[in-house]
Amino acid sequence: MILRHITIDAAKPYELAQFWSTVTGWPLGDGDQPGDDEVLVQAPAPVPGLLFIAVPEGKAVKNRVHLDWGPTERTRDEEVERILSLGGTVHEDHRRPDGRGWVTMKDPEGNEFCVELSQAEIDG
């Protein structure tokens, strides 16, 4: 068995996929267009893609599953600032005085995700 996609309900799949495409640097699926009910952000193999599906109801409660991201080209704090500039928001800040910890953020539709330390910061 292989995990192909992580599927995320969305009010506006194309717009949310564009946000995540910019955050990750991964391209949108071939032929995906504004107004589509399903839009794929294609991850490099073997990582599963992010599939955004239109649903009529809005997000009402905390996600039961969320993604934890580790920056590869920036520090945790630089990545948080970059995502803020793209339209994300900080939900909870769990950074500690010793430099450890993470930041729980929300995408433009309110889905939670975490930004952790980069591997370079962990190895540091």
Side-chain angles (χ1 to χ4, degrees):
M1 185 152 357
I2 184 170
L3 179 60
R4 291 198 175 132
H5 305 119
I6 297 169
T7 302
I8 301 166
D9 293 349
K12 297 180 179 177
Y14 187 82
E15 289 81 355
L16 196 55
Q18 282 187 309
F19 169 82
W20 282 106
S21 176
T22 302
V23 167
T24 61
W26 304 341
L28 294 182
D30 291 338
D32 285 339
Q33 300 290 322
D36 286 353
D37 288 338
E38 297 181 8
V39 180
L40 177 64
V41 177
Q42 296 178 321
V47 177
L50 301 176
L51 181 61
F52 297 89
I53 304 283
V55 296
E57 64 277 347
K59 184 176 178 304
V61 298
K62 181 182 183 301
N63 294 14
R64 298 225 18 190
V65 174
H66 70 263
L67 305 175
D68 291 342
W69 296 95
T72 55
E73 298 174 11
R74 286 169 277 282
T75 67
R76 174 201 57 210
D77 295 345
E78 290 168 342
E79 191 65 26
V80 166
E81 291 304 315
R82 186 179 77 87
I83 293 170
L84 286 171
S85 76
L86 298 173
T89 57
V90 171
H91 177 62
E92 296 175 340
D93 194 330
H94 298 278
R95 290 177 277 197
R96 300 190 307 230
D98 67 0
R100 296 294 199 201
W102 68 95
V103 178
T104 303
M105 301 188 75
K106 290 185 177 183
D107 71 18
E109 290 198 12
N111 299 300
E112 297 93 0
F113 62 97
C114 291
V115 179
E116 300 179 347
L117 293 171
S118 67
Q119 191 61 50
E121 290 173 294
I122 292 169
D123 294 342

